[in-house]
Amino acid sequence: MKHFHKTRPELREWILATARGGHAPLDVVKLMREAGYDAQQSHRAVSEVLGVPLAALNATLPRAGARRTRHPVAPVSTVDGHAVRVSASLDSPAVRVLDGLLTAGECDDLIALATPRLARSLTVDEKGRHQTDERRTSNGMFFRIGETPLIQRIEQRIAGLVDLPVEHGEGLQVLHYLPGQEYEPHFDWFDPTQPGFTAVTARGGQRIASIVMYLNTPDEGGGTGFPAAGFTVTALRGSAVYFAYDTGDQSSLHAGLPVIRGEKWIATKWLRERPYQR
């Protein structure tokens, strides 16, 4: 393991050159770790050279009580008698395509419950508050955890599938997209270099995985794209895409692709490293 007390000139120049080459601070940290530096050393050097708050970089270190998800295992994962088929897998990013996560009846019931409560879709701002975002052009709503027996059943199914307690999940969000609407490429993890990181993670830590469930099959378009992997998941009623990520994981960039014909309904569940305080 490499050690230093003050950033050496040659290391300083390497960090600067790497950042100028388009690498984000967390990417530079990752490259230093791969070169043999420990986490704290990497964080101190990147903080000193690039001017990133050390506390923000240290926030990416594992914390007490943090949990990870278990990736669904092919070919079939059975949860309380419900069989979910894993029809495709990627290693980077960690993606699993899940067939039959929801039944047709569950999809229809979610749409019916959500429809009267739809409003302009929101994202989470740097202070943990919900806000509109021009990149997301859908309508949506949130269910409370365990709000109805249907929501409870779906939450328990997901918890068993990924081996993470229900308490680690945010409330289920249902979104409705019309032709031309989309969610442009983005990350689901919270950026620790942003000033609101502490506020947005205070209630449950970092996001560690997402599950996007397709409640209908659009006539054309509307899939979920992973640009770094050149991979697109087709939106098919009852199926879902699960993907997990670490803080700063650039490969997890993804997009809700535009609906070309018809409409798209999805339900999204975000999972946190610690129990989510509502």
Side-chain angles (χ1 to χ4, degrees):
M1 191 72 67
K2 299 181 180 180
H3 298 274
F4 62 86
H5 298 286
K6 184 176 180 180
T7 305
R8 302 188 308 273
E10 61 271 25
L11 180 57
R12 174 182 291 273
E13 288 304 314
W14 179 86
I15 291 174
L16 288 171
T18 303
R20 292 190 196 107
H23 291 275
L26 289 174
D27 293 332
V28 180
V29 168
K30 181 179 179 181
L31 291 170
M32 287 187 65
R33 295 292 305 279
E34 292 173 351
Y37 294 96
D38 69 29
Q40 290 291 0
Q41 293 170 333
S42 304
H43 290 182
R44 285 198 297 268
V46 171
S47 173
E48 176 188 333
V49 176
L50 299 183
V52 178
L54 182 59
L57 295 175
N58 286 341
T60 66
L61 296 173
R63 301 183 184 184
R67 292 277 299 270
R68 303 297 301 177
T69 53
R70 179 191 64 201
H71 303 334
V73 179
V76 178
S77 291
T78 301
V79 184
D80 293 333
H82 185 91
V84 179
R85 296 176 297 281
V86 181
S87 61
S89 301
L90 286 178
D91 292 329
S92 182
V95 175
R96 303 292 184 270
V97 178
L98 309 174
D99 293 340
L101 179 62
L102 302 178
T103 68
E106 289 170 338
C107 291
D108 293 342
D109 290 344
L110 277 175
I111 291 173
L113 287 171
T115 297
R117 295 161 60 178
L118 292 177
R120 174 66 188 271
S121 296
L122 303 175
T123 58
V124 178
D125 70 11
E126 63 181 21
K127 295 183 179 180
R129 300 170 303 194
H130 289 95
Q131 64 172 4
T132 59
D133 188 328
E134 293 305 317
R135 296 174 303 167
R136 171 175 269 185
T137 56
S138 58
N139 289 317
M141 55 78 64
F142 282 91
F143 287 105
R144 298 186 304 275
I145 296 295
E147 181 172 335
T148 72
L150 171 63
I151 301 300
Q152 291 175 12
R153 184 166 70 247
I154 294 171
E155 289 170 343
Q156 289 289 349
R157 186 177 305 156
I158 290 172
L161 185 67
V162 302
D163 192 26
L164 196 72
V166 169
E167 292 74 22
H168 284 245
E170 298 180 30
L172 192 71
Q173 183 184 38
V174 173
L175 298 172
H176 181 220
Y177 293 82
L178 295 173
Q181 294 184 324
E182 62 182 317
Y183 193 3
E184 295 177 2
H186 62 283
F187 302 104
D188 283 355
W189 46 265
F190 301 117
D191 187 346
T193 65
Q194 295 301 306
F197 177 78
T198 300
V200 80
T201 57
R203 296 191 296 167
Q206 181 63 281
R207 284 177 176 170
I208 56 174
S210 306
I211 300 178
V212 178
M213 295 158 271
Y214 305 107
L215 306 183
N216 78 314
T217 303
D219 294 331
E220 185 178 357
T224 303
F226 294 86
F231 185 68
T232 297
V233 179
T234 302
L236 297 174
R237 184 169 74 156
S239 67
V241 57
Y242 156 95
F243 51 104
Y245 34 81
D246 294 316
T247 303
D249 180 3
Q250 300 296 302
S251 71
S252 68
L253 184 72
H254 61 285
L257 301 177
V259 176
I260 299 173
R261 291 190 299 114
E263 60 182 346
K264 179 176 77 169
W265 288 87
I266 62 171
T268 301
K269 170 68 75 172
W270 290 286
L271 303 174
R272 300 282 191 118
E273 62 184 350
R274 298 195 304 276
Y276 182 63
Q277 306 297 319
R278 297 160 193 89

